[in-house]
Short mmCIF file of all heavy atoms in Angstrom, two decimals:
data_model
loop_
_atom_site.label_atom_id
_atom_site.label_comp_id
_atom_site.label_asym_id
_atom_site.label_seq_id
_atom_site.Cartn_x
_atom_site.Cartn_y
_atom_site.Cartn_z
N GLY A 110 -11.63 22.41 -6.22
CA GLY A 110 -11.08 22.96 -4.96
C GLY A 110 -10.51 21.87 -4.19
O GLY A 110 -9.73 21.03 -4.68
N ASP A 111 -10.87 21.78 -2.90
CA ASP A 111 -10.35 20.67 -2.07
C ASP A 111 -11.37 19.55 -1.89
O ASP A 111 -11.24 18.69 -1.06
CB ASP A 111 -9.90 21.23 -0.68
CG ASP A 111 -11.07 21.85 0.11
OD1 ASP A 111 -12.20 21.89 -0.44
OD2 ASP A 111 -10.83 22.27 1.24
N GLN A 112 -12.39 19.59 -2.75
CA GLN A 112 -13.38 18.51 -2.76
C GLN A 112 -13.08 17.57 -3.88
O GLN A 112 -12.50 17.91 -4.91
CB GLN A 112 -14.80 19.10 -2.91
CG GLN A 112 -15.21 20.06 -1.84
CD GLN A 112 -15.27 19.42 -0.46
OE1 GLN A 112 -15.90 18.38 -0.30
NE2 GLN A 112 -14.61 20.05 0.49
N SER A 113 -13.49 16.32 -3.72
CA SER A 113 -13.25 15.31 -4.77
C SER A 113 -14.47 14.48 -4.99
O SER A 113 -15.21 14.12 -4.02
CB SER A 113 -12.03 14.46 -4.43
OG SER A 113 -12.23 13.72 -3.26
N GLY A 114 -14.67 14.09 -6.22
CA GLY A 114 -15.71 13.16 -6.58
C GLY A 114 -15.10 11.93 -7.14
O GLY A 114 -14.08 12.03 -7.93
N TYR A 115 -15.57 10.73 -6.82
CA TYR A 115 -14.90 9.52 -7.27
C TYR A 115 -15.96 8.42 -7.60
O TYR A 115 -16.95 8.28 -6.88
CB TYR A 115 -13.98 8.97 -6.22
CG TYR A 115 -13.01 7.91 -6.76
CD1 TYR A 115 -11.93 8.30 -7.53
CD2 TYR A 115 -13.25 6.57 -6.58
CE1 TYR A 115 -11.05 7.37 -8.06
CE2 TYR A 115 -12.42 5.61 -7.15
CZ TYR A 115 -11.31 6.02 -7.86
OH TYR A 115 -10.45 5.09 -8.41
N ALA A 116 -15.75 7.76 -8.74
CA ALA A 116 -16.60 6.63 -9.13
C ALA A 116 -15.75 5.64 -9.88
O ALA A 116 -14.72 5.99 -10.49
CB ALA A 116 -17.73 7.13 -9.98
N TYR A 117 -16.11 4.36 -9.82
CA TYR A 117 -15.36 3.35 -10.48
C TYR A 117 -16.28 2.37 -11.19
O TYR A 117 -17.51 2.26 -10.95
CB TYR A 117 -14.43 2.58 -9.55
CG TYR A 117 -15.15 1.72 -8.51
CD1 TYR A 117 -15.45 0.41 -8.82
CD2 TYR A 117 -15.54 2.22 -7.28
CE1 TYR A 117 -16.13 -0.43 -7.93
CE2 TYR A 117 -16.23 1.42 -6.38
CZ TYR A 117 -16.51 0.08 -6.72
OH TYR A 117 -17.17 -0.71 -5.83
N VAL A 118 -15.70 1.57 -12.10
CA VAL A 118 -16.46 0.60 -12.82
C VAL A 118 -15.57 -0.65 -13.07
O VAL A 118 -14.35 -0.51 -13.22
CB VAL A 118 -16.97 1.15 -14.17
CG1 VAL A 118 -15.83 1.51 -15.10
CG2 VAL A 118 -17.95 0.22 -14.84
N GLU A 119 -16.15 -1.82 -13.07
CA GLU A 119 -15.41 -3.05 -13.29
C GLU A 119 -15.49 -3.47 -14.74
O GLU A 119 -15.39 -4.69 -15.05
CB GLU A 119 -15.94 -4.14 -12.35
CG GLU A 119 -15.71 -3.82 -10.88
CD GLU A 119 -16.32 -4.86 -9.93
OE1 GLU A 119 -17.10 -5.70 -10.42
OE2 GLU A 119 -16.04 -4.80 -8.75
N ASN A 120 -15.62 -2.54 -15.63
CA ASN A 120 -15.69 -2.77 -17.04
C ASN A 120 -15.15 -1.54 -17.72
O ASN A 120 -15.27 -0.43 -17.19
CB ASN A 120 -17.10 -3.06 -17.54
CG ASN A 120 -17.19 -3.81 -18.80
OD1 ASN A 120 -16.28 -3.72 -19.63
ND2 ASN A 120 -18.26 -4.55 -19.03
N VAL A 121 -14.57 -1.68 -18.90
CA VAL A 121 -13.95 -0.45 -19.50
C VAL A 121 -14.48 -0.21 -20.91
O VAL A 121 -13.79 0.25 -21.75
CB VAL A 121 -12.40 -0.55 -19.51
CG1 VAL A 121 -11.85 -0.51 -18.10
CG2 VAL A 121 -11.91 -1.80 -20.24
N THR A 122 -15.76 -0.51 -21.15
CA THR A 122 -16.37 -0.07 -22.38
C THR A 122 -16.50 1.47 -22.30
O THR A 122 -16.62 2.04 -21.21
CB THR A 122 -17.76 -0.68 -22.57
OG1 THR A 122 -18.65 -0.25 -21.49
CG2 THR A 122 -17.69 -2.22 -22.56
N LEU A 123 -16.51 2.12 -23.38
CA LEU A 123 -16.60 3.58 -23.40
C LEU A 123 -17.86 4.08 -22.71
O LEU A 123 -17.86 5.02 -21.92
CB LEU A 123 -16.54 4.10 -24.86
CG LEU A 123 -16.59 5.62 -25.01
CD1 LEU A 123 -15.48 6.30 -24.24
CD2 LEU A 123 -16.57 6.02 -26.49
N ASP A 124 -19.01 3.39 -22.95
CA ASP A 124 -20.24 3.82 -22.32
C ASP A 124 -20.19 3.77 -20.79
O ASP A 124 -20.61 4.70 -20.09
CB ASP A 124 -21.38 2.95 -22.86
CG ASP A 124 -21.82 3.28 -24.25
OD1 ASP A 124 -21.42 4.34 -24.75
OD2 ASP A 124 -22.55 2.47 -24.85
N GLU A 125 -19.61 2.65 -20.30
CA GLU A 125 -19.52 2.52 -18.82
C GLU A 125 -18.61 3.60 -18.26
O GLU A 125 -18.85 4.15 -17.17
CB GLU A 125 -18.99 1.12 -18.49
CG GLU A 125 -19.99 0.00 -18.80
CD GLU A 125 -21.18 -0.02 -17.81
OE1 GLU A 125 -21.05 0.60 -16.76
OE2 GLU A 125 -22.17 -0.63 -18.17
N MET A 126 -17.48 3.84 -18.89
CA MET A 126 -16.53 4.84 -18.42
C MET A 126 -17.12 6.21 -18.42
O MET A 126 -16.89 7.01 -17.49
CB MET A 126 -15.19 4.77 -19.23
CG MET A 126 -14.44 3.51 -18.99
SD MET A 126 -12.76 3.59 -19.73
CE MET A 126 -13.13 3.65 -21.46
N LEU A 127 -17.88 6.53 -19.44
CA LEU A 127 -18.55 7.85 -19.51
C LEU A 127 -19.53 8.00 -18.38
O LEU A 127 -19.69 9.11 -17.79
CB LEU A 127 -19.21 8.01 -20.86
CG LEU A 127 -18.26 8.24 -22.08
CD1 LEU A 127 -19.05 8.22 -23.34
CD2 LEU A 127 -17.48 9.55 -21.93
N LYS A 128 -20.23 6.94 -18.03
CA LYS A 128 -21.20 7.02 -16.96
C LYS A 128 -20.52 7.34 -15.60
O LYS A 128 -20.99 8.25 -14.89
CB LYS A 128 -21.93 5.65 -16.80
CG LYS A 128 -22.99 5.41 -17.88
CD LYS A 128 -23.67 4.04 -17.67
CE LYS A 128 -24.65 3.75 -18.78
NZ LYS A 128 -25.26 2.40 -18.61
N VAL A 129 -19.45 6.66 -15.28
CA VAL A 129 -18.77 6.90 -14.01
C VAL A 129 -18.09 8.27 -14.05
O VAL A 129 -18.03 8.94 -12.98
CB VAL A 129 -17.83 5.81 -13.62
CG1 VAL A 129 -18.55 4.52 -13.33
CG2 VAL A 129 -16.74 5.60 -14.65
N ALA A 130 -17.64 8.70 -15.21
CA ALA A 130 -17.03 10.07 -15.29
C ALA A 130 -18.06 11.13 -14.95
O ALA A 130 -17.73 12.08 -14.26
CB ALA A 130 -16.44 10.24 -16.69
N ARG A 131 -19.26 10.94 -15.49
CA ARG A 131 -20.29 11.95 -15.22
C ARG A 131 -20.75 11.94 -13.77
O ARG A 131 -21.10 12.96 -13.23
CB ARG A 131 -21.48 11.73 -16.18
CG ARG A 131 -21.15 12.01 -17.62
CD ARG A 131 -22.25 11.55 -18.58
NE ARG A 131 -21.81 11.80 -19.95
CZ ARG A 131 -22.02 10.90 -20.96
NH1 ARG A 131 -22.63 9.74 -20.72
NH2 ARG A 131 -21.60 11.17 -22.16
N THR A 132 -20.68 10.71 -13.19
CA THR A 132 -21.02 10.62 -11.73
C THR A 132 -19.96 11.36 -10.94
O THR A 132 -20.33 12.15 -10.02
CB THR A 132 -21.05 9.14 -11.34
OG1 THR A 132 -22.10 8.45 -12.03
CG2 THR A 132 -21.33 9.01 -9.81
N ALA A 133 -18.72 11.13 -11.20
CA ALA A 133 -17.66 11.79 -10.45
C ALA A 133 -17.70 13.32 -10.69
O ALA A 133 -17.32 14.10 -9.76
CB ALA A 133 -16.31 11.29 -10.88
N ALA A 134 -18.12 13.73 -11.86
CA ALA A 134 -18.15 15.15 -12.19
C ALA A 134 -19.13 15.95 -11.37
O ALA A 134 -19.04 17.20 -11.26
CB ALA A 134 -18.48 15.31 -13.68
N ARG A 135 -20.08 15.28 -10.73
CA ARG A 135 -21.12 16.00 -10.00
C ARG A 135 -20.58 16.73 -8.78
O ARG A 135 -21.35 17.50 -8.13
CB ARG A 135 -22.25 15.03 -9.60
CG ARG A 135 -23.01 14.56 -10.82
CD ARG A 135 -24.03 13.43 -10.47
NE ARG A 135 -24.61 12.91 -11.64
CZ ARG A 135 -25.26 11.74 -11.76
NH1 ARG A 135 -25.31 11.01 -10.62
NH2 ARG A 135 -25.76 11.32 -12.83
N ILE A 136 -19.37 16.52 -8.36
CA ILE A 136 -18.78 17.24 -7.27
C ILE A 136 -18.65 18.72 -7.61
O ILE A 136 -18.67 19.56 -6.74
CB ILE A 136 -17.37 16.71 -6.91
CG1 ILE A 136 -16.86 17.27 -5.58
CG2 ILE A 136 -16.34 16.92 -8.01
CD1 ILE A 136 -17.66 16.84 -4.38
N ALA A 137 -18.53 19.04 -8.89
CA ALA A 137 -18.40 20.42 -9.34
C ALA A 137 -19.80 20.95 -9.74
O ALA A 137 -20.69 20.23 -10.11
CB ALA A 137 -17.40 20.54 -10.50
N SER A 138 -19.94 22.28 -9.68
CA SER A 138 -21.25 22.87 -9.95
C SER A 138 -21.26 23.86 -11.10
O SER A 138 -22.35 24.33 -11.46
CB SER A 138 -21.78 23.57 -8.65
OG SER A 138 -20.88 24.57 -8.25
N SER A 139 -20.12 24.15 -11.67
CA SER A 139 -20.10 25.11 -12.79
C SER A 139 -20.79 24.49 -14.00
O SER A 139 -20.76 23.25 -14.18
CB SER A 139 -18.67 25.48 -13.15
OG SER A 139 -18.03 26.06 -12.02
N LYS A 140 -21.35 25.36 -14.84
CA LYS A 140 -22.03 24.83 -16.04
C LYS A 140 -21.07 24.48 -17.15
O LYS A 140 -21.33 23.60 -17.93
CB LYS A 140 -23.05 25.88 -16.54
CG LYS A 140 -24.21 26.08 -15.58
CD LYS A 140 -25.24 27.04 -16.19
CE LYS A 140 -26.41 27.18 -15.22
NZ LYS A 140 -27.44 28.09 -15.75
N GLN A 141 -19.96 25.20 -17.21
CA GLN A 141 -19.03 24.89 -18.25
C GLN A 141 -17.76 24.20 -17.73
O GLN A 141 -17.24 24.57 -16.69
CB GLN A 141 -18.56 26.18 -18.97
CG GLN A 141 -19.62 26.74 -19.97
CD GLN A 141 -19.01 27.80 -20.87
OE1 GLN A 141 -18.12 28.49 -20.48
NE2 GLN A 141 -19.54 27.90 -22.07
N GLY A 142 -17.33 23.22 -18.44
CA GLY A 142 -16.14 22.49 -18.01
C GLY A 142 -14.95 22.79 -18.94
O GLY A 142 -15.13 23.29 -20.06
N SER A 143 -13.76 22.50 -18.43
CA SER A 143 -12.58 22.61 -19.26
C SER A 143 -12.34 21.28 -19.99
O SER A 143 -13.00 20.29 -19.69
CB SER A 143 -11.37 22.97 -18.39
OG SER A 143 -11.21 22.03 -17.41
#
Side-chain angles (χ1 to χ4, degrees):
D111 61 358
Q112 301 297 309
S113 63
Y115 195 77
Y117 69 88
V118 64
E119 295 175 350
N120 202 332
V121 294
T122 64
L123 181 57
D124 285 346
E125 291 289 341
M126 291 191 292
L127 289 172
K128 285 180 183 177
V129 294
R131 291 170 185 139
T132 299
R135 291 172 187 162
I136 190 67
S138 58
S139 301
K140 292 184 178 180
Q141 282 194 331
S143 57

